[in-house]
Amino acid sequence: MSTSATTTSQPAEGSSTVNIFEMMDRARARKDVISMGLGDPDLATPEHIIAAAKKAMAEHRTGPAPVKGLPQLRQALARKLERENGITADPETEILITTGGQEALFLVIQALIEPGDEILLPDPRYTSYDEAIELAGGRMVLVPTREEEAFDFDPEEVEKRLTPASKVLLIVTPSNPTAGIVTPARIRRLAEIAQEHDLIVISDEIYEKFLYDGHEHLSIASLPGMRERTITLNSVSKTYAMTGWRIGYLAGPAAIVDAVAALKAMVNLQAPTVSQWATLAALEGPQDCVAEMREIYAARRRLLMGALDEMGFSYGEPRGGLYIWVNISSAGIPAIELSSLFLDEGVLIFPGTGFGENWGGFMRMTLLQPIEVLGEAIARMKRALAKHRGEEA
Amino acid sequence: MGRALSARAARLTNGLAAEDEAPAMGEIDLTSAEAAPIPFHVREAAEAALDRGETHYTTRPGVTMLREAIARHLTGEGFPASAEAMLITNGGTEALYIALQTLLAPGQRIAVAGPTAANIVAMIRFIGAEPILLPAARGVGFMPSVAAIEEADAEAILLATPSPVTGQALSSEELAMILAAARRREMTVFLDRSLATALYDPSRARFTDPTLGAQVVQIGSFSTGHGLTGWRVGWLAAPEALMKRPRDLKQAMSICTTAVSQFAAMAVLDDPEDWAAARRAEFARRRDAARTLLGEAGLATVEPDAYPALLADIRAVEEDDRRFAARLRAERGVVVQPGSTFGPATAGFIRLDLGAPESALRDGIERLAMFATRDAAR
């Protein structure tokens, strides 16, 4: 199904993201709540990254930086994109540092979308996309993803929804919230569709480092003919547990990067300088920390999957990312009510409606608590379910 | 590939491409400030925040203690504010964008009072509103008359005091008259006080009509006054009834403001060594030296109330400020901003940034003085 965004300049009242934050307020009022809500890694930013930030401060490298970001950082990103993603990008003209991945996405949407344009994106979805698209006056065309397909993005479902107004195809892999990935074969087919129908592709790859069970990440911009029409979005927030530093980046054709840079200059001039030096250390320093984090998340994922099996909930096949997208229909109540019961027992979990209006039977659980805390959260969820099912019986 | 950019993004990009080139190697740039070394106590606070693990998202509107501290400060200055009705933003520019984008509807008209940077006028057009540039009143600096404000066909007004372009600040009485006029016309007032922390005389930040002061949408910044430009911390304060949309847009745009930067800003407000006073004194010294040199060369200057701007009146030697600036650059290698880029009120003036590196400032002003006395009239 598709929904249409109006051309008002303001985000909708009571948008899904905002409801989530109201729920967080309720959780904050209690001291003992375990949060499996927000996508903020509990792990600390690795020590060598913090040391680099302190060194930049001690050496007074804290002053203004160019709109597109520190040249050294753009060069490091060009190397990273080449080495890890097979994407060639000129650090002078084709890379821009943003104040977090969120800003990259917000600005790219404003740069590309205008009233009348359609943007195809997977459903369920990270609903901050909705607000950015709505502000630009674009029309969201939602492409459903399905549990039985592990929430992979189906190229046929995309093709069915193409119209003369289709302009942008948004790919998110791994996905927030579903933990699905777009498998390489489907990435290749989507690339063909984009070229056949002259679509611009935005590829959001911020969870690229967290893939499980041998699954592989493929960046669509690395495919022949795609670098000219793809904007790759990424961030160090999740990869290096750096959410509070607010550094994201994008790579794409120079004309689009230039326009995004003009917007960046308009909305806040530059990404914070100290955070950029910290990011340089993250990219150029030892990468063992990323593998370690992935192992930690993988262990939590196994624990949570086992517990969900015991609770009688299904969850597709979580192939990547930091979440599990749980089908709670066996509980017999909408997710918003189950969220409330979980919160009564002291666990904060966002209902699926925070990720699209069609998802009232799902919840997003994060892997972002230490394993022993996760164990306690599981015990509380089970208690809440036992009470609920006891009352029903 | 078809047309990639949205029309408004293309307009913005083309507008910027038409701007002058950035200073080249070997040229003396008097248009922007060099980075100020950060005070030791600020660095200590930032390091301590990192050691405490402040590397995660902060609360969405910003660290509560920072908002409380700013609110206390603003209330003390005559602009009653609360931590609840405040957002910490990635610099003052983000605050201004969020305020204008959410509180102006497309098609609405906003009066722009006083000389204003072209990028702010471009921002207003980008969000779909229409800027109405008010003419300066004769003989009283660069601001429009109260009558011009009352007569403006606009739903809102944007003004900055002190002005980043001229460095001049409105007195409490002048500001009260403008705010009262805007209130009579039921205009939303966007008041940019980003340079209130850069006043040579900090007592001039005080406003004596808190009833009027409580009604403005106010923007502030830790950038110029405190020399924290690279850290990107600013704020937006407004009556609570207006704050929902700004909060939502901030979340959608950038989630929250950089954690370590917010803790650095908090330390700035608590200034044990009176570092800010030393910074003011340094700028005052530069201002006085520059004004003396330029005066000797026959260039009158506008007395600034806040750093870093210094406006020089070049009409005695050349009517056309763009031509003057272009020749100064071509013949003497000194880059300054022609006043007419900020609107007609500052035509015939050039703007210097006293935060330029000291040696560049000295050489640049000497060359400028030489140019004005020997070459300009040629």
Side-chain angles (χ1 to χ4, degrees), chain A residues 221-390:
Chain A
S222 70
L223 298 175
M226 288 308 293
R227 122 184 232 290
E228 301 79 337
R229 59 175 68 249
T230 303
I231 299 104
T232 305
L233 302 187
N234 212 324
S235 153
V236 291
S237 289
K238 316 290 173 174
T239 308
Y240 300 98
M242 290 179 70
T243 47
W245 301 77
R246 312 307 307 126
I247 297 290
Y249 57 93
L250 59 92
I256 295 175
V257 170
D258 267 353
V260 179
L263 284 158
K264 173 73 181 153
M266 180 181 79
V267 304
N268 71 11
L269 308 179
Q270 61 157 98
T273 305
V274 171
S275 298
Q276 293 193 54
W277 290 118
T279 300
L280 182 62
L283 293 168
E284 304 276 88
Q287 300 299 302
D288 323 1
C289 56
V290 181
E292 283 164 21
M293 288 186 213
R294 183 167 47 241
E295 283 312 306
I296 290 170
Y297 296 137
R300 296 173 182 179
R301 171 177 165 273
R302 281 191 298 274
L303 175 71
L304 188 55
M305 285 163 70
L308 291 167
D309 292 342
E310 288 165 15
M311 292 179 216
F313 293 150
S314 60
Y315 42 79
E317 181 200 340
R319 292 170 170 170
L322 302 179
Y323 313 101
I324 296 184
W325 182 240
V326 185
N327 181 339
I328 56 92
S329 49
S330 73
I333 51 172
I336 184 83
E337 286 176 35
L338 188 58
S339 280
S340 191
L341 297 181
F342 283 165
L343 194 52
D344 289 344
E345 287 295 325
V347 186
L348 172 66
I349 299 173
F350 294 152
T353 42
F355 305 91
E357 49 289 351
N358 305 322
W359 299 90
F362 285 76
M363 298 178 100
R364 188 190 79 170
M365 299 188 185
T366 75
L367 305 175
L368 305 176
Q369 288 290 353
I371 202 147
E372 60 281 4
V373 179
L374 201 55
E376 171 61 22
I378 288 166
R380 292 181 187 184
M381 282 191 267
K382 285 182 172 169
R383 208 152 57 220
L385 275 172
K387 278 190 196 165
H388 163 63
R389 286 174 173 151

Side-chain angles (χ1 to χ4, degrees), chain B residues 15-31:
Chain B
L16 291 182
E19 290 288 303
D20 290 335
E21 286 169 48
M25 286 281 272
E27 288 187 321
I28 295 180
D29 178 15
L30 299 186
T31 66

Side-chain angles (χ1 to χ4, degrees), chain A residues 41 54 102 110-111 114 167 198, chain B residues 2 4 6-8 51 56 251:
Chain A
K54 289 182 180 175
Q102 185 98 335
Q110 305 315 311
E114 64 188 12
K167 180 170 183 182
D198 196 22
Chain B
S6 66
R8 60 183 190 155
D51 290 338
H56 300 274
Q251 153 67 26

Side-chain angles (χ1 to χ4, degrees), chain A residues 9-10 13-14 17-18 21 38-43 45 50 53-54 57-58 60 62-64 99 102-103 106 110-114 126 128 131 135-136 167 198 200 228-229 238 242-246 255-256 258-259 262-263 265-275, chain B residues 1-9 12-13 16 33-38 43 46-47 50-51 55-60 90-91 93-95 97 101-106 119 122-123 126-127 229-232 244-245 248-249 251-261:
Chain A
S9 74
Q10 279 86 25
E13 296 282 318
T17 322
V18 176
F21 295 110
L38 206 58
D40 189 358
D42 57 306
L43 304 175
T45 304
I50 295 201
K54 289 182 180 175
M57 291 187 236
H60 295 294
T62 64
T99 308
Q102 185 98 335
E103 187 184 77
F106 179 84
Q110 305 315 311
L112 298 179
I113 297 290
E114 64 188 12
Y126 179 56
S128 284
E131 292 168 57
L135 185 67
K167 180 170 183 182
D198 196 22
I200 300 171
E228 301 79 337
R229 59 175 68 249
K238 316 290 173 174
M242 290 179 70
T243 47
W245 301 77
R246 312 307 307 126
I256 295 175
D258 267 353
L263 284 158
M266 180 181 79
V267 304
N268 71 11
L269 308 179
Q270 61 157 98
T273 305
V274 171
S275 298
Chain B
M1 191 166 62
R3 195 178 47 72
L5 301 181
S6 66
R8 60 183 190 155
L12 187 74
T13 317
L16 291 182
E34 72 176 330
I38 53 164
R43 189 181 129 201
E47 287 189 356
L50 293 178
D51 290 338
T55 58
H56 300 274
Y57 295 126
T58 70
T59 59
R60 303 303 154 130
N90 291 294
T93 313
E94 190 183 69
Y97 172 72
Q101 178 70 71
T102 55
L103 302 177
L104 275 182
N119 63 344
M123 184 195 283
F126 179 84
I127 66 170
T229 308
W231 298 71
R232 312 310 304 135
K244 179 176 168 22
R245 282 170 168 171
D248 291 351
L249 180 59
Q251 153 67 26
M253 268 181 82
S254 58
I255 304 186
C256 68
T257 295
T258 304
V260 66
S261 298

